[in-house]
Amino acid sequence: MPIRSLLRFLSRNEQLISKLSESYPIRRAAQLSAFFFQRGRALGEENYERLKESETLEKAKQDVKSIGNRVESFSKTFSRELQDGFRELNKEIEKKKKSGNP
């Protein structure tokens, strides 16, 4: 891995690092990176604030609550019907045992 050893050598050379950090392309790249990072963060915060204030978020929250209520209702009804079905099945089995039909 000659590339790895070359990069390790170059990264440990303090003078080279100093010269590179003072060069225009490196400084410009750092400026642009910082600019785009800050701009992206600002846009994200603005969009978050707008979304927070909009009715869309509130409607989505209400929809999620409504779906949760429907799922809960379905779950309760399903389990109740399932229990009733098992009770009826047990009663039928008991009736068949009493009547003597296998």
Side-chain angles (χ1 to χ4, degrees):
M1 303 269 175
I3 293 176
R4 187 177 282 176
S5 60
L6 178 64
L7 287 175
R8 192 175 302 130
F9 170 74
L10 293 175
S11 67
R12 292 181 181 168
N13 189 343
E14 233 178 278
Q15 290 175 336
L16 177 65
I17 299 293
S18 177
K19 277 192 170 193
L20 281 175
S21 68
E22 293 171 1
S23 70
Y24 178 75
I26 300 296
R27 284 186 296 139
R28 187 66 178 150
Q31 287 173 346
L32 289 174
S33 297
F35 170 77
F36 286 121
F37 176 78
Q38 293 294 330
R39 182 71 177 140
R41 190 181 78 193
L43 285 174
E45 288 174 356
E46 289 173 12
N47 288 334
Y48 176 73
E49 290 299 322
R50 250 189 278 147
L51 180 65
K52 208 162 76 170
E53 294 171 358
S54 74
E55 295 174 8
T56 307
L57 184 61
E58 289 301 318
K59 186 171 181 342
K61 284 181 183 178
Q62 291 172 355
D63 289 348
V64 168
K65 284 181 183 178
S66 172
I67 290 170
N69 291 339
R70 284 188 274 170
V71 167
E72 184 179 349
S73 173
F74 172 79
S75 173
K76 286 180 182 178
T77 304
F78 181 78
S79 69
R80 186 176 54 235
E81 291 293 327
L82 189 63
Q83 288 173 354
D84 291 345
F86 277 124
R87 281 190 206 116
E88 289 177 19
L89 184 62
N90 283 336
K91 286 179 184 178
E92 288 179 21
I93 291 172
E94 290 296 322
K95 283 182 184 178
K96 285 185 180 180
K97 282 183 180 178
K98 286 182 182 179
S99 66
N101 292 338

